[in-house]
Amino acid sequence: MAAPMAEITMVKALNQALRDSLADDPRSLVLGEDVGRLGGVFRVTDGLQAEFGTERVFDTPLAEAAIAGVSLGLALAGWHPVAEMQFDGFSYPALDQVISHIAKYRYRSRGRQSAPLVIRIPFAGGIGAAEHHSESPETYYAHTAGLKVVAPSGAVDAYHLLRASIADPDPVIFLEPKSRYWAKEEGTLDGNGALPIGRARVVREGADCTVVTYGAMVAKSLAAADVASEQGTEVEVLDLRSLVPMDLEALASSVRKTGRAVVVHEAPMTLGVGAEVVARIVEDCFDYLEAPVLRVTGYDTPYPPATIERHYLPGIERILAAIDRVVGY
């Protein structure tokens, strides 16, 4: 008998994924700033230390490079650590550890040594936060060979992606769109319909244009697609979910069907994930394209103060304008 549907927030789903992983695998650990007694700044780890003890869920100093380095050491010793970098902008001090060491172990050891660890990073904007609290660092990680990079857009998928990331033998950067932490979604966490890392999903069918996106921009793109439908344009929305590896087959299949594409993300445009998506579309779908591929992104500026972030973030109007342009060719 199927489990009853319930409204679930992403925070609750992530918390349950961590709890289930800790219960299923005695090698799993949770570490980071304030993840223990406080339960995390967003309460994602709430209650885990009380249930599993301080040896498996423990606080660290405010030192991101140390968190990454300790996590790598634990992974090499046979543990499966899940580390939290408290905010996106504070993950940068750990980049040397992540890029130079964590990402390289399988290659450096000719495949003999894996590094099964997850680094959770609340990322992107939309919550009115202070400086350094609304960064979109995905390109740094996606450009680093040896890392897998994922970004869920909703609660149920966040649960499945985190469980898959913890079970993966290689390091995974798990980007959590903080503006979606409290959004509710109806569903169950029983594993039905779970997609693996490396698979995208069509969250809305359409025949006139494909919007390719991920993270918090999935909800914005779906809202824009609803408005476009009222105006007679049926938009397909493709949630990438996994930035590395990227589901190139799903991307090509959708764009070949619609012949038009718009890519949406919060990060700045230049050399962003959208640039890679556009390049792949041109390489794999050129003969099917009816119009240039457009990008709707953040601007090539530092993230602005909270009072004006609404002008920086892609909104429904900007997404609709791009859809109108490509459909109007």
Side-chain angles (χ1 to χ4, degrees):
M1 184 175 180
M5 304 288 275
E7 281 196 333
I8 308 165
T9 64
M10 187 179 288
V11 165
K12 181 178 180 180
L14 292 169
N15 180 273
Q16 190 63 48
L18 292 169
R19 176 174 280 104
D20 290 348
S21 294
L22 287 164
D24 292 348
D25 184 356
R27 298 170 298 172
S28 294
L29 304 170
V30 172
L31 66 153
E33 300 159 5
D34 297 323
V35 301
R37 185 171 61 180
L38 179 66
V41 66
F42 294 104
R43 303 300 184 266
V44 172
T45 57
D46 188 41
L48 297 182
Q49 188 177 80
E51 184 172 346
F52 295 98
T54 57
E55 292 187 352
R56 296 191 63 200
V57 181
F58 52 91
D59 293 323
T60 65
L62 293 160
E64 287 78 14
I67 294 171
V70 167
S71 296
L72 176 59
L74 288 166
L76 297 179
W79 298 94
H80 290 174
V82 182
E84 177 180 315
M85 302 291 177
Q86 196 169 86
F87 278 94
D88 34 41
F90 301 149
S91 69
Y92 301 143
L95 281 176
D96 181 42
Q97 288 282 359
V98 174
I99 293 171
S100 300
H101 302 290
I102 289 173
K104 301 291 194 292
Y105 257 87
R106 182 175 291 281
Y107 183 82
R108 183 180 293 163
S109 65
R110 298 182 182 179
R112 292 189 293 267
Q113 178 65 62
S114 61
L117 66 93
V118 177
I119 298 178
R120 294 180 39 244
I121 303 176
F123 92 116
I127 64 168
E131 187 180 17
H132 307 308
H133 291 69
S134 299
E135 303 285 310
S136 293
E138 56 265 39
T139 300
Y140 300 125
Y141 299 108
H143 187 69
T144 301
L147 300 176
K148 294 175 181 174
V149 185
V150 300
S153 62
V156 175
D157 197 42
Y159 173 87
H160 297 310
L161 265 179
L162 185 53
R163 291 299 306 273
S165 298
I166 296 170
D168 198 280
D170 291 306
V172 180
I173 306 298
F174 194 92
L175 300 171
E176 301 170 4
K178 62 177 82 76
S179 67
R180 300 295 296 166
Y181 269 146
W182 305 279
K184 294 181 179 179
E185 179 183 345
E186 194 172 80
T188 61
L189 305 180
D190 56 11
N192 292 329
L195 293 174
I197 294 173
R199 288 280 302 278
R201 60 173 183 158
V202 175
V203 293
R204 190 186 194 280
E205 298 275 358
D208 299 323
C209 175
T210 298
V211 171
V212 184
T213 187
Y214 56 90
M217 290 295 103
V218 171
K220 286 280 184 70
S221 298
L222 286 171
D226 288 341
V227 175
S229 180
E230 296 172 359
Q231 300 170 353
T233 300
E234 293 303 326
V235 175
E236 182 151 297
V237 179
L238 182 71
D239 178 5
L240 289 176
R241 303 175 64 251
S242 177
L243 307 184
V244 179
M246 189 178 292
D247 192 345
L248 302 179
E249 183 177 339
L251 177 62
S253 176
S254 180
V255 176
R256 287 171 181 169
K257 180 176 77 171
T258 65
R260 295 171 171 85
V262 172
V263 188
V264 182
H265 61 65
E266 288 189 39
M269 177 180 286
T270 300
L271 297 178
V273 171
E276 178 66 22
V277 173
V278 173
R280 296 289 187 167
I281 290 172
V282 172
E283 289 174 7
D284 297 339
C285 310
F286 183 79
D287 290 341
Y288 295 83
L289 289 175
E290 302 291 342
V293 183
L294 299 183
R295 288 172 288 171
V296 181
T297 70
Y299 298 108
D300 290 343
T301 67
Y303 197 88
T307 52
I308 58 171
E309 70 175 351
R310 67 187 182 280
H311 300 296
Y312 175 91
L313 294 172
I316 294 174
E317 294 80 8
R318 287 174 60 195
I319 299 171
L320 281 172
I323 291 170
D324 287 344
R325 282 185 61 192
V326 301
V327 171
Y329 268 91

